[in-house]
Amino acid sequence: MSLLQGKKILLGITGGIAAYKIPLLVRALIKQGAQVRVIMTPAATDFVAPLTLSVLSQNEVLSSFTTPGKDHAVWTDHVALGAWGDLFLIAPATANSISAMAHAKCNNLLMATYLSARCPVMIAPAMDLDMYAHAANQKNLATLAAQGVHVLPVASGPLASGLSGKGRMLEPDALLSELETFFGHTAPLKGKNILITAGPTYEAIDPVRFIGNHSSGKMGVALAKQAQQLGAEVTLIIGPTAIDLTTLSCQVTSVTTAQQMQEQVMAHYAATDIAIAAAAVADYRPKIRMDQKIKKNNQDFQTLELVATPDILAEMGAQKTHQFLIGFALETTDELAHAKNKLKSKNLDAIVLNSLQDPDAGFGHDTNKITYIDKDGNSTPFDLKSKDAVAKDIFSQILKNYA
Ligand code: C5P
């Protein structure tokens, strides 16, 4: 069941260009079984049509204090609106509206509803990079956060001004995840600490070259988001990746080498309830890291001498006390047998096998095809799916085993 099933979402839209993306969010929320009521500032109605939002939300869209009645205007009860919602999400939240919220300026229906709302409030800021970074705006955001408003991060990238930087509203799917995370705090993994390793590691040969692999970190990030949606406290330890980690709201530690990943993992391990090792850790590193770039014609460097990196997962297995430990196996031959051996030799509770045999599965792809193998050797194969859907499958299996 979706975490959003039956949830009442009051959705405030203020006048920024990112408003054009909100119909997609409304559609996704309705699809997940949520009820949605939309309130817009007058400026927002210039950016996105109220009719679109009313069709998608299956509710009347409100933007003024009164609506014309038979003989005279009828008052819109903003207090009742504020009492209706389980959560009030304001997205996009412009600098102007953030300022109005911070200063209790009741200049439109949305602000009146905000000031009278009793439910939790979440805002997704959206503005130009300099406006976002401006000390006055940051002060307003800090004021709201101190008052208990959930202030979401912004994403980096191209802005309507033509500039590029921090200020973009989170995309509708990221907003959806934030809402799921919010409602997930009453969910099955509430209070559990989950440690996830992800991405590749890079082992330096010299200042410009390294030994690495094609891991993108996408599977580990999908697992981290899913764990959060189930209410867990998530620590993600991730190697070099192109993924924008600034939009994640879990604890993220970026590392480069296997050694650094091991240090970070072991620092968190004692307090961990469930650990998932999705990282593709380099198995070897150069014995010597050269301080200067190795020249093309350097005859001494025709052969690279390697030493083993720490096997982080094996170390977690050896030191296991109460932790539920899940590894990944990427095999090319005799897959099931190798994965089962790994499960035993590393003292795991489960292992996720992904095969390179499938053209759209594994490294770098947005999709994956897995088989989940539990401690008793029971294997459950799944179809090729998006990595987000795979993460859901993995956690549904974990929840079956994990008391
Ligand atoms: O033994 P192999 O490298 O195939 O095992 C894969 C599993 O072990 C993955 O879960 C991976 O994250 C983990 N691993 C690790 N440290 C290493 C090598 C692998 O944690 N040095």
Side-chain angles (χ1 to χ4, degrees):
M1 190 189 78
S2 163
L3 289 164
L4 294 166
Q5 178 70 40
K7 295 288 185 285
K8 295 180 186 139
I9 313 291
L10 196 54
L11 184 55
I13 308 177
T14 74
I17 181 62
Y20 85 93
K21 297 185 179 180
I22 297 301
L24 292 173
L25 175 65
V26 175
R27 193 180 62 171
L29 286 169
I30 296 291
K31 212 169 146 195
Q32 303 254 348
Q35 296 178 52
V36 182
R37 299 201 68 178
V38 176
I39 307 172
M40 303 174 78
T41 62
T45 62
D46 288 331
F47 288 97
V48 61
L51 182 61
T52 310
L53 292 154
S54 103
V55 172
L56 292 171
S57 68
Q58 299 158 13
N59 263 317
E60 187 187 0
V61 169
L62 302 164
S63 58
S64 58
F65 284 107
T66 56
T67 42
K70 202 165 130 242
D71 292 326
H72 46 75
V74 179
W75 181 61
T76 306
D77 188 352
H78 60 82
V79 178
L81 279 171
W84 174 83
D86 293 315
L87 178 76
F88 190 9
L89 170 67
I90 302 177
T94 58
N96 185 42
S97 292
I98 288 167
S99 170
M101 289 168 76
H103 295 94
K105 204 168 161 214
C106 187
N107 53 351
N108 56 47
L109 181 72
L110 197 156
M111 285 307 144
T113 309
Y114 166 66
L115 290 169
S116 54
R118 292 197 175 164
C119 61
V121 179
M122 187 182 272
I123 62 167
M127 64 200 75
D128 198 54
L129 78 165
D130 295 310
M131 290 170 76
Y132 181 70
H134 197 285
N137 180 58
Q138 288 298 319
K139 192 174 165 201
N140 287 338
L141 288 171
T143 301
L144 293 178
Q147 289 168 357
V149 172
H150 299 253
V151 178
L152 296 177
V154 289
S156 272
L159 297 157
S161 58
L163 299 172
S164 184
K166 278 178 84 171
R168 287 166 64 90
M169 184 184 76
L170 293 183
E171 292 296 325
D173 60 352
L175 291 174
L176 195 68
S177 295
E178 291 291 348
L179 294 177
E180 287 176 324
T181 300
F182 176 82
F183 288 111
H185 285 294
T186 51
L189 292 176
K190 185 171 166 55
K192 299 290 175 198
N193 291 323
I194 301 205
L195 179 66
I196 296 170
T197 69
T201 64
Y202 287 178
E203 313 297 330
I205 298 169
D206 66 15
V208 293
R209 304 180 181 95
F210 59 84
I211 297 174
N213 57 66
H214 294 298
S215 171
S216 62
K218 287 178 186 169
M219 191 64 244
V221 167
L223 286 163
K225 287 183 183 167
Q226 181 58 19
Q228 273 196 300
Q229 282 164 21
L230 295 169
E233 293 295 322
V234 180
T235 302
L236 176 68
I237 298 171
I238 185 162
T241 176
I243 299 171
D244 180 5
L245 300 171
T246 61
T247 59
L248 299 180
S249 47
C250 64
Q251 193 193 324
V252 181
T253 302
S254 293
V255 294
T256 304
T257 66
Q259 175 82 37
Q260 290 165 352
M261 187 173 276
Q262 179 212 28
E263 285 161 14
Q264 288 300 323
V265 164
M266 295 326 290
H268 287 92
Y269 191 53
T272 295
D273 297 299
I274 299 175
I276 308 178
V281 184
D283 290 320
Y284 294 95
R285 64 172 171 80
K287 189 171 180 189
I288 299 164
R289 178 196 184 277
M290 300 306 290
D291 288 338
Q292 305 301 330
K293 184 182 170 193
I294 302 163
K295 294 272 184 264
K296 199 193 294 188
N297 52 5
N298 187 334
Q299 292 304 314
D300 294 342
F301 278 96
Q302 301 301 313
T303 310
L304 202 56
E305 202 178 338
L306 302 175
V307 291
T309 56
D311 189 325
I312 306 164
L313 184 57
E315 190 175 342
M316 284 195 273
Q319 295 194 18
K320 192 158 81 172
T321 51
H322 63 285
Q323 294 87 350
F324 189 88
L325 191 54
I326 301 126
F328 269 70
L330 184 74
E331 306 291 342
T332 50
T333 55
D334 241 346
E335 303 168 316
L336 217 50
H338 278 123
K340 285 183 181 177
N341 280 343
K342 210 165 281 180
L343 185 136
K344 280 218 163 55
S345 66
K346 297 197 187 194
N347 192 25
L348 309 181
D349 296 286
I351 193 155
V352 177
L353 168 66
N354 44 31
S355 165
L356 275 184
Q357 309 287 11
D358 201 299
D360 292 320
F363 279 167
H365 294 289
D366 289 328
T367 48
N368 204 2
K369 187 173 184 328
I370 61 144
T371 301
Y372 183 94
I373 307 161
D374 71 16
K375 209 174 179 167
D376 302 324
N378 303 312
S379 55
T380 313
F382 290 90
D383 293 336
L384 184 75
K385 299 179 180 188
S386 72
K387 286 188 172 169
D388 287 338
V390 170
K392 282 192 177 139
D393 289 339
I394 292 173
F395 274 103
S396 70
Q397 293 297 312
I398 293 172
L399 287 169
K400 278 187 197 164
N401 298 151
Y402 183 73

